[in-house]
Amino acid sequence: MGVIFVRKREVSTREITTCYLRSLKHTPHIADRLKSAYPVIVNVAEMPEEERVQALDFISGVTYAVDGSYDQVGDNTFLFVPGNVILVDDE
């Protein structure tokens, strides 16, 4: 079996997408942004309450898959970042 070399995609972290989720059908868009190495701010305030947990579970799973992390930055608002971005808590 041969060796496969994978080059990590370098993306500027100056671009951050903000998504206001209204339904679960929009979560793949967030997953695609994270897989493309872009940070995403997600606001779930406009989602039905029963779908919020499902959406956040899915996005958290994608974040884990790309070696990323996340943090709650406000009421119903979260910052998800891929592995090429480090969240630093200055407190």
Side-chain angles (χ1 to χ4, degrees), residues 22-43:
R22 292 180 180 88
S23 75
L24 287 173
K25 70 180 181 180
H26 297 115
T27 55
H29 171 73
I30 295 166
D32 291 340
R33 296 299 291 173
L34 287 166
K35 290 183 341 185
S36 296
Y38 290 104
V40 183
I41 296 173
V42 179
N43 185 308

Side-chain angles (χ1 to χ4, degrees), residues 16-72:
I16 299 175
T17 302
T18 301
C19 294
Y20 294 89
L21 282 182
R22 292 180 180 88
S23 75
L24 287 173
K25 70 180 181 180
H26 297 115
T27 55
H29 171 73
I30 295 166
D32 291 340
R33 296 299 291 173
L34 287 166
K35 290 183 341 185
S36 296
Y38 290 104
V40 183
I41 296 173
V42 179
N43 185 308
V44 294
E46 296 181 25
M47 286 189 84
E49 201 165 323
E50 62 276 0
E51 291 183 4
R52 289 180 190 172
V53 172
Q54 291 176 316
L56 293 172
D57 283 347
F58 175 77
I59 299 165
S60 297
V62 172
T63 302
Y64 176 80
V66 297
D67 296 324
S69 58
Y70 66 94
D71 196 10
Q72 185 168 0

